[in-house]
Amino acid sequence: VAVAVSAVCGLAQAQDAWPSKPITLIVPFPPGGPTDLVARVLAQQVGQQLGQSVIVDNRPGANGNIGNGLVAKAAADGYTVLYNTSSIALSPSLYKKLSYDVNKDLRPVALTAVVPLGLVVNPKLPVNTVQEFVQYAQANKGKLSYGSAGNGNVTHLAAFQVVQHYKIDASHVPYKGSAPADVDLVAGQIDFMTDTINSVAPFIKDGRLKLLAVSSSKRLPNFPDAPTLAESGMTGFDAGAWQGVMLPAKTPDAIVQRLNAELMKALKDPGVLEKLRLQGTEPLGSTPQAYGDYINSEIKRWAAVVKSTGVSLD
């Protein structure tokens, strides 16, 4: 009994002392991308609140699955944290084999933010509205192409829904991330895409891309003149690249609750809110349980869309 009590007390003290060393935040996408930009804002703020460094470690590849799998297999001590995106809800339908099970190997901590998508076109296209774009695309059947941050990425699936809804005949060109796709879109190598607004905002502002609509349910403060896709004919449409934090599945409750509390505090910080606003990112926030429920609802939501695309990845 004495040994058991001693072990339990030791575990409690270890959890109370968390964090006693730097934390590694795994971001499963490249530096400078839409996920990385938000993750670094939160990492800096949470690190200040905890009094420990939160070091961002980018581990891109396979639509986030390399980084996801890395955290799933990490020690459940609160020092390896995953900054995941909506791709984690798409992968179960996309991939035949995954190195982890999102429901068994990872533990939700909090839903943090969502980055709306923008339907953007190269300025060479003689269109200024969604309606003009649809008319132009239908008049140029099979001649247009659209990019994405990768097969099965939310930027692909959202564009696919636009193409499907308006019966547009266009070719999909997948890239290894938003950045190279944006470069080719600006250069006119592809014609349009639905990309995260914080990725394309600089190109919109300097006139190198045209923003026709946004994917959120409401217009964005940064681009108030851009209608939503729902306003433009896709009634009820609402999609975005949402983000959140997860830990290895066996992480103790005390650490999960502490990290959740710190994230919720960070998402209310005026400096953080201003940085997210400038990125066109909407702060969210949730309990661990609510985030788990949300992930499962998104897995079900996107399964039908993935099936309709016919995309299957190894």
mmCIF file of all heavy atoms in Angstrom, residues 88-106:
data_model
loop_
_atom_site.group_PDB
_atom_site.id
_atom_site.type_symbol
_atom_site.label_atom_id
_atom_site.label_comp_id
_atom_site.label_asym_id
_atom_site.label_seq_id
_atom_site.Cartn_x
_atom_site.Cartn_y
_atom_site.Cartn_z
ATOM 1 N N ILE A 88 -6.814 16.078 -40.459
ATOM 2 C CA ILE A 88 -6.872 14.895 -39.606
ATOM 3 C C ILE A 88 -8.240 14.219 -39.678
ATOM 4 O O ILE A 88 -8.373 13.022 -39.408
ATOM 5 C CB ILE A 88 -6.505 15.258 -38.147
ATOM 6 C CG1 ILE A 88 -5.902 14.044 -37.430
ATOM 7 C CG2 ILE A 88 -7.705 15.807 -37.374
ATOM 8 C CD1 ILE A 88 -5.156 14.388 -36.168
ATOM 9 N N ALA A 89 -9.263 14.991 -40.063
ATOM 10 C CA ALA A 89 -10.604 14.432 -40.226
ATOM 11 C C ALA A 89 -10.843 13.904 -41.642
ATOM 12 O O ALA A 89 -11.789 13.164 -41.880
ATOM 13 C CB ALA A 89 -11.661 15.485 -39.884
ATOM 14 N N LEU A 90 -9.981 14.300 -42.578
ATOM 15 C CA LEU A 90 -10.105 13.854 -43.962
ATOM 16 C C LEU A 90 -9.343 12.555 -44.202
ATOM 17 O O LEU A 90 -9.761 11.716 -45.003
ATOM 18 C CB LEU A 90 -9.579 14.927 -44.912
ATOM 19 C CG LEU A 90 -10.142 16.330 -44.755
ATOM 20 C CD1 LEU A 90 -9.479 17.286 -45.739
ATOM 21 C CD2 LEU A 90 -11.648 16.345 -44.940
ATOM 22 N N SER A 91 -8.232 12.389 -43.501
ATOM 23 C CA SER A 91 -7.336 11.257 -43.753
ATOM 24 C C SER A 91 -7.982 9.878 -43.593
ATOM 25 O O SER A 91 -7.675 8.969 -44.368
ATOM 26 C CB SER A 91 -6.103 11.364 -42.851
ATOM 27 O OG SER A 91 -5.291 12.438 -43.274
ATOM 28 N N PRO A 92 -8.859 9.658 -42.600
ATOM 29 C CA PRO A 92 -9.457 8.324 -42.491
ATOM 30 C C PRO A 92 -10.215 7.893 -43.740
ATOM 31 O O PRO A 92 -10.305 6.695 -44.033
ATOM 32 C CB PRO A 92 -10.412 8.474 -41.290
ATOM 33 C CG PRO A 92 -9.776 9.540 -40.456
ATOM 34 C CD PRO A 92 -9.223 10.515 -41.458
ATOM 35 N N SER A 93 -10.751 8.846 -44.492
ATOM 36 C CA SER A 93 -11.468 8.516 -45.731
ATOM 37 C C SER A 93 -10.543 8.476 -46.938
ATOM 38 O O SER A 93 -10.841 7.821 -47.933
ATOM 39 C CB SER A 93 -12.577 9.543 -45.988
ATOM 40 O OG SER A 93 -13.512 9.550 -44.940
ATOM 41 N N LEU A 94 -9.407 9.166 -46.846
ATOM 42 C CA LEU A 94 -8.509 9.296 -47.987
ATOM 43 C C LEU A 94 -7.482 8.175 -48.088
ATOM 44 O O LEU A 94 -7.165 7.706 -49.176
ATOM 45 C CB LEU A 94 -7.743 10.625 -47.900
ATOM 46 C CG LEU A 94 -8.474 11.885 -48.330
ATOM 47 C CD1 LEU A 94 -7.675 13.104 -47.897
ATOM 48 C CD2 LEU A 94 -8.656 11.897 -49.835
ATOM 49 N N TYR A 95 -6.955 7.776 -46.935
ATOM 50 C CA TYR A 95 -5.821 6.860 -46.933
ATOM 51 C C TYR A 95 -6.241 5.430 -46.611
ATOM 52 O O TYR A 95 -6.998 5.190 -45.671
ATOM 53 C CB TYR A 95 -4.768 7.326 -45.927
ATOM 54 C CG TYR A 95 -4.046 8.575 -46.370
ATOM 55 C CD1 TYR A 95 -4.589 9.837 -46.134
ATOM 56 C CD2 TYR A 95 -2.836 8.508 -47.044
ATOM 57 C CE1 TYR A 95 -3.935 10.996 -46.556
ATOM 58 C CE2 TYR A 95 -2.174 9.654 -47.466
ATOM 59 C CZ TYR A 95 -2.730 10.887 -47.223
ATOM 60 O OH TYR A 95 -2.092 12.024 -47.645
ATOM 61 N N LYS A 96 -5.722 4.497 -47.367
ATOM 62 C CA LYS A 96 -6.003 3.088 -47.129
ATOM 63 C C LYS A 96 -5.349 2.620 -45.833
ATOM 64 O O LYS A 96 -5.876 1.776 -45.115
ATOM 65 C CB LYS A 96 -5.504 2.249 -48.307
ATOM 66 C CG LYS A 96 -6.201 2.563 -49.628
ATOM 67 C CD LYS A 96 -5.568 1.808 -50.782
ATOM 68 C CE LYS A 96 -6.219 2.181 -52.104
ATOM 69 N NZ LYS A 96 -5.565 1.520 -53.265
ATOM 70 N N LYS A 97 -4.158 3.153 -45.562
ATOM 71 C CA LYS A 97 -3.430 2.774 -44.354
ATOM 72 C C LYS A 97 -2.880 4.030 -43.686
ATOM 73 O O LYS A 97 -2.304 4.884 -44.344
ATOM 74 C CB LYS A 97 -2.279 1.825 -44.691
ATOM 75 C CG LYS A 97 -2.714 0.467 -45.210
ATOM 76 C CD LYS A 97 -1.500 -0.413 -45.496
ATOM 77 C CE LYS A 97 -1.913 -1.781 -46.030
ATOM 78 N NZ LYS A 97 -0.723 -2.638 -46.337
ATOM 79 N N LEU A 98 -3.070 4.133 -42.381
ATOM 80 C CA LEU A 98 -2.503 5.219 -41.592
ATOM 81 C C LEU A 98 -1.683 4.624 -40.460
ATOM 82 O O LEU A 98 -2.015 3.550 -39.948
ATOM 83 C CB LEU A 98 -3.612 6.110 -41.008
ATOM 84 C CG LEU A 98 -4.349 7.047 -41.968
ATOM 85 C CD1 LEU A 98 -5.514 7.714 -41.244
ATOM 86 C CD2 LEU A 98 -3.409 8.100 -42.532
ATOM 87 N N SER A 99 -0.637 5.333 -40.044
ATOM 88 C CA SER A 99 0.223 4.830 -38.982
ATOM 89 C C SER A 99 -0.362 5.089 -37.593
ATOM 90 O O SER A 99 0.243 4.734 -36.585
ATOM 91 C CB SER A 99 1.609 5.487 -39.078
ATOM 92 O OG SER A 99 1.505 6.886 -38.845
ATOM 93 N N TYR A 100 -1.532 5.708 -37.543
ATOM 94 C CA TYR A 100 -2.161 6.036 -36.269
ATOM 95 C C TYR A 100 -3.683 6.014 -36.440
ATOM 96 O O TYR A 100 -4.205 6.070 -37.555
ATOM 97 C CB TYR A 100 -1.727 7.428 -35.800
ATOM 98 C CG TYR A 100 -2.247 8.532 -36.702
ATOM 99 C CD1 TYR A 100 -3.429 9.210 -36.403
ATOM 100 C CD2 TYR A 100 -1.600 8.864 -37.892
ATOM 101 C CE1 TYR A 100 -3.929 10.187 -37.250
ATOM 102 C CE2 TYR A 100 -2.089 9.837 -38.737
ATOM 103 C CZ TYR A 100 -3.253 10.489 -38.415
ATOM 104 O OH TYR A 100 -3.760 11.446 -39.259
ATOM 105 N N ASP A 101 -4.384 5.942 -35.323
ATOM 106 C CA ASP A 101 -5.844 6.034 -35.297
ATOM 107 C C ASP A 101 -6.195 7.296 -34.520
ATOM 108 O O ASP A 101 -5.838 7.422 -33.341
ATOM 109 C CB ASP A 101 -6.440 4.796 -34.615
ATOM 110 C CG ASP A 101 -7.964 4.781 -34.653
ATOM 111 O OD1 ASP A 101 -8.575 5.836 -34.363
ATOM 112 O OD2 ASP A 101 -8.541 3.729 -34.962
ATOM 113 N N VAL A 102 -6.843 8.242 -35.177
ATOM 114 C CA VAL A 102 -7.108 9.532 -34.541
ATOM 115 C C VAL A 102 -7.917 9.388 -33.251
ATOM 116 O O VAL A 102 -7.740 10.158 -32.301
ATOM 117 C CB VAL A 102 -7.821 10.505 -35.524
ATOM 118 C CG1 VAL A 102 -9.196 9.994 -35.902
ATOM 119 C CG2 VAL A 102 -7.912 11.909 -34.929
ATOM 120 N N ASN A 103 -8.787 8.380 -33.178
ATOM 121 C CA ASN A 103 -9.616 8.201 -31.991
ATOM 122 C C ASN A 103 -8.942 7.390 -30.885
ATOM 123 O O ASN A 103 -9.334 7.494 -29.727
ATOM 124 C CB ASN A 103 -10.942 7.531 -32.369
ATOM 125 C CG ASN A 103 -11.851 8.465 -33.144
ATOM 126 O OD1 ASN A 103 -12.050 9.604 -32.757
ATOM 127 N ND2 ASN A 103 -12.396 7.987 -34.255
ATOM 128 N N LYS A 104 -7.949 6.594 -31.247
ATOM 129 C CA LYS A 104 -7.303 5.727 -30.260
ATOM 130 C C LYS A 104 -5.924 6.221 -29.825
ATOM 131 O O LYS A 104 -5.504 5.977 -28.697
ATOM 132 C CB LYS A 104 -7.175 4.308 -30.817
ATOM 133 C CG LYS A 104 -8.498 3.608 -31.053
ATOM 134 C CD LYS A 104 -8.278 2.214 -31.621
ATOM 135 C CE LYS A 104 -9.606 1.504 -31.868
ATOM 136 N NZ LYS A 104 -9.402 0.154 -32.459
ATOM 137 N N ASP A 105 -5.221 6.897 -30.716
ATOM 138 C CA ASP A 105 -3.822 7.246 -30.444
ATOM 139 C C ASP A 105 -3.591 8.711 -30.100
ATOM 140 O O ASP A 105 -2.487 9.085 -29.700
ATOM 141 C CB ASP A 105 -2.953 6.884 -31.656
ATOM 142 C CG ASP A 105 -3.009 5.397 -31.981
ATOM 143 O OD1 ASP A 105 -3.116 4.602 -31.030
ATOM 144 O OD2 ASP A 105 -2.966 5.037 -33.177
ATOM 145 N N LEU A 106 -4.612 9.539 -30.278
ATOM 146 C CA LEU A 106 -4.474 10.972 -29.996
ATOM 147 C C LEU A 106 -5.614 11.440 -29.097
ATOM 148 O O LEU A 106 -6.729 10.908 -29.168
ATOM 149 C CB LEU A 106 -4.458 11.776 -31.294
ATOM 150 C CG LEU A 106 -3.219 11.596 -32.168
ATOM 151 C CD1 LEU A 106 -3.459 12.147 -33.570
ATOM 152 C CD2 LEU A 106 -2.006 12.285 -31.534
#
